[in-house]
Every structure is written in structure tokens, then in C-alpha cells.
Amino acid sequence: SQQGEEDPQALSIQEGENATMNCSYKTSINNLQWYRQNSGRGLVHLILIRSNEREKHSGRLRVTLDTSKKSSSLLITASRAADTASYFCATDRQETSGSRLTFGEGTQLTVNP
Amino acid sequence: DTGVSQDPRHKITKRGQNVTFRCDPISEHNRLYWYRQTLGQGPEFLTYFQNEAQLEKSRLLSDRFSAERPKGSFSTLEIQRTEQGDSAMYLCASSPYGTGSQYFGPGTRLLVL
């Protein structure tokens, strides 16, 4: 079953605006990873945040993790049309440590030029 | 390019035929994973290997599915007697260790007619 739940399911913004996507999960985790997927393509790894970390940055990406609320957010600043894609969060759960990632259903982001 | 590669990228087959997909992981990664993704959903775990040992299989992996990683390098996923419900994107990923980032290949899109 899918543990992660992304919110919103779809997001449409103008180029230059910031995009925030949220992810909730149910069980204890080792880490949480965010991926991007362009239509019909494979997944591109964006960032990994460990359970003992609260915030991480990579370029225009900012990820936060709140283990008490079992939630994470992905912020893309100064969005570009090329950021249009589906974004997935995936958890490495403690109970299945290292054996699999559990994905949510994703957020479809559309950045309008 | 030293990323994960998959072959073929696309496969169309008739119901009842057997198909085999290949995955070549990043060379220094000892863990290899197979996932399946249907339209509009996040990837779902199928199975994973540590070196040549298949350590876990999902309940999604019926008896018609078999995966191997004979020398701890590339892996194959075979589906026997394909059914229309097998139509999906089959994704392979690799990682250097259990709780690290997983890096995905471009996927093999299967269509069963």
C-alpha cells in the first residue's frame, strides 16, 4: 500500500512563483526522498533528508521534515517551465529498512510560461 | 553515461507471451530494485537484490514473475504468460547501500494487447 500522500494532487503556477508540495506518511522512517518524473520517463532523484534532519537545501529546492507530524514539504523557488513534472515523495521505512521505498501518488506541477 | 540503464525502453506483446527486461545498475551499487508503475500512480515495489541474493519479494510479484541477478551485476525480470493487467512501466533502481538514495533507470514500458 502507498504510505506517502502528496498534497496537492495538482498544482498550476506561473513561472517565477514558488511551488510548495507536501507529503504525509504513517510509520517511522530512516529517510525521505523526493523525486521528479517527466511524463513517460524515469524518476530523477532530487534530495534525501534523514530522519534526524529538519531541513535541507539543494539549489532552488528546500525540503523540510517534521517527524512529529510525519510530514515533509518540498519548496521549489523561482519556478521555471522546465520544472513542469510529477513530484513524488518516497519513504525508507524503519520496518523495511533499505529494502524498498514506499511512494505516494505524486503531485503534478505545471509551471506556465 | 554511468547511470542505470534498462532495455528495452518499450515492449508491445500479445497476451500469453513471455517477456524479459534487463537492468544494468550503476557499477559500484550492490543493491538493485524493481518497481512497477501504472498510469497516475507512484511506483510500487516488486523485489530487490543485494549482490546476487534476492532478499525480498512483494506480494505483487505473482508466480508468473521471476527476477534474477546472477553475477551481482545486471538483473533480468521475466513475466510469463503476460496478461493485460501487466501493462505498466517497469522501473529499475540501484543504490550503494541500504538506506541510501535510490537511482532509477528510464524504465521499460510494457503494453500487453
Side-chain angles (χ1 to χ4, degrees), chain A residues 40-42, chain B residues 5-11 89 105-110:
Chain A
R41 303 293 189 96
Chain B
S5 62
Q6 292 185 245
D7 182 68
R9 296 289 305 278
H10 302 273
K11 180 70 177 179
M89 174 82 91
T108 294
R109 184 171 293 283
L110 173 67

Side-chain angles (χ1 to χ4, degrees), chain A residues 47-65:
Chain A
I47 199 164
L48 178 153
I49 186 165
R50 301 197 183 281
S51 60
N52 61 353
E53 297 175 312
R54 293 296 168 257
E55 187 171 315
K56 210 161 179 182
H57 297 255
S58 177
R60 293 183 297 113
L61 305 180
R62 172 177 170 254
V63 169
T64 62
L65 179 64

Side-chain angles (χ1 to χ4, degrees), chain A:
Chain A
S1 62
Q2 298 288 337
Q3 171 171 239
E5 294 182 3
E6 282 93 339
D7 168 48
Q9 289 188 325
L11 179 62
S12 181
I13 60 174
Q14 294 301 121
E15 206 164 27
E17 293 180 341
N18 296 341
T20 300
M21 289 161 272
N22 303 297
C23 168
S24 61
Y25 58 91
K26 297 184 178 121
T27 63
S28 298
I29 62 172
N30 292 311
N31 65 64
L32 185 145
Q33 304 180 37
W34 284 91
Y35 289 84
R36 183 186 74 224
Q37 185 177 38
N38 291 86
S39 182
R41 303 293 189 96
L43 280 81
V44 174
H45 186 269
L46 297 177
I47 199 164
L48 178 153
I49 186 165
R50 301 197 183 281
S51 60
N52 61 353
E53 297 175 312
R54 293 296 168 257
E55 187 171 315
K56 210 161 179 182
H57 297 255
S58 177
R60 293 183 297 113
L61 305 180
R62 172 177 170 254
V63 169
T64 62
L65 179 64
D66 187 336
T67 52
S68 67
K69 295 181 179 178
K70 291 186 167 58
S71 68
S72 174
S73 68
L74 170 67
L75 169 67
I76 304 174
T77 60
S79 64
R80 306 167 182 167
D83 295 328
T84 294
S86 292
Y87 290 82
F88 294 92
C89 70
T91 54
D92 176 4
R93 299 187 291 181
Q94 285 186 0
E95 65 193 41
T96 56
S97 180
S99 72
R100 66 178 73 185
L101 292 177
T102 304
F103 285 82
E105 295 185 353
T107 293
Q108 172 62 50
L109 173 66
T110 302
V111 181
N112 302 299

Side-chain angles (χ1 to χ4, degrees), chain B residues 75-86:
Chain B
S75 175
T76 58
L77 177 68
E78 181 182 16
I79 309 174
Q80 295 183 327
R81 305 181 301 283
T82 52
E83 301 172 355
Q84 288 184 325
D86 297 331

